Amino acid sequence: MSRSLIRITDLSVKEIDELIETANDIIANPAKYAEICHGKKLATLFFEPSTRTRLSFEAAMYELGGYVLSVSEGQSSSAAKGESVADTARTVSCYADIIAMRHPKEGAPLVAAQHATVPVINAGDGGHNHPTQTLTDLLTISREKGKLDGLTIGVCGDLKFGRTVHSLIEAMSRYPGVRFMLISPEELKLPSYVKKDIIQRKRIEYKQTTDLEGVMPALDVLYMTRVQRERFLSEEEYLRLKDSYILTPEKMRWAKEDMIVMHPLPRVNEISVAVDDDPRACYFRQALNGKYIRMALILKMLKEDGKL
Ligand code: NCD
């Protein structure tokens, strides 16, 4: 079975450091990588909406000189006829050298990995995990802050359904001296499989609060998230909670001079566009970093699978 990436801890800290190093080298010397994946094919199987993740995977493969096969809508593939994830994965393995899959069901990419004969990358499974967003986030934090340890990280918004937050906490909890500020409405608190099994088990310092402004002065990183409308059972509940936090230039005055604002995007209302011009706002740089770290990841996985 090929090695897949389903959750961020499938990679060691050392491997993540190496991926960051490769991504930085790609940024500095893109020409060196332009033909490296010539003749190789990436399949992107996206059964949920996406702009950045799918297009950055595809741009990554093109910039490595490879090709892309894409299912960008569940309705356009045989999944709509009732094909199982297992059968789809086995079939796509006949055509592609590596697969990136996004699926609304938690665990679907893991099932795909168990049946594929090529590496599978989880590009987001329901409200669960999103490891390649986390690699993007780690590259961004390391480029912006110069380190990954000793940071106070505020995660704000929908901590219950936000898969990017779950993977980010799992990843950052492996670096020494990290502290978390968990900022959310009561209804959208971090699930216990993240809070108990990761933060508390590892005895990491954290604070749970509903008050963004109160903790703002302590933060090195503020990671804003969208309230995940598609995971709510009640639209009424979503409408009540959707604007719980809106970051504005006024609120930014409480922040450190060198705090960075991150967001996996898409944003709805949670960051006012007036914040975009603040040099501390780095969410569009973060989106660009997503392409480079995915280039590094595709390279690593194809090499390990004996394809390069
Ligand atoms: C995130 C996702 O899909 O989980 N988007 C992304 O991949 N950049 C965040 C979100 O949809 O809110």
Side-chain angles (χ1 to χ4, degrees), residues 49 52-53 102 130 133 163-164 226 228 230 263-266:
R52 271 148 295 270
T53 306
R102 168 169 290 188
H130 194 347
Q133 179 62 47
R163 56 193 173 196
T164 62
R226 172 180 72 90
Q228 307 279 297
E230 63 274 38
H263 192 309
L265 302 176

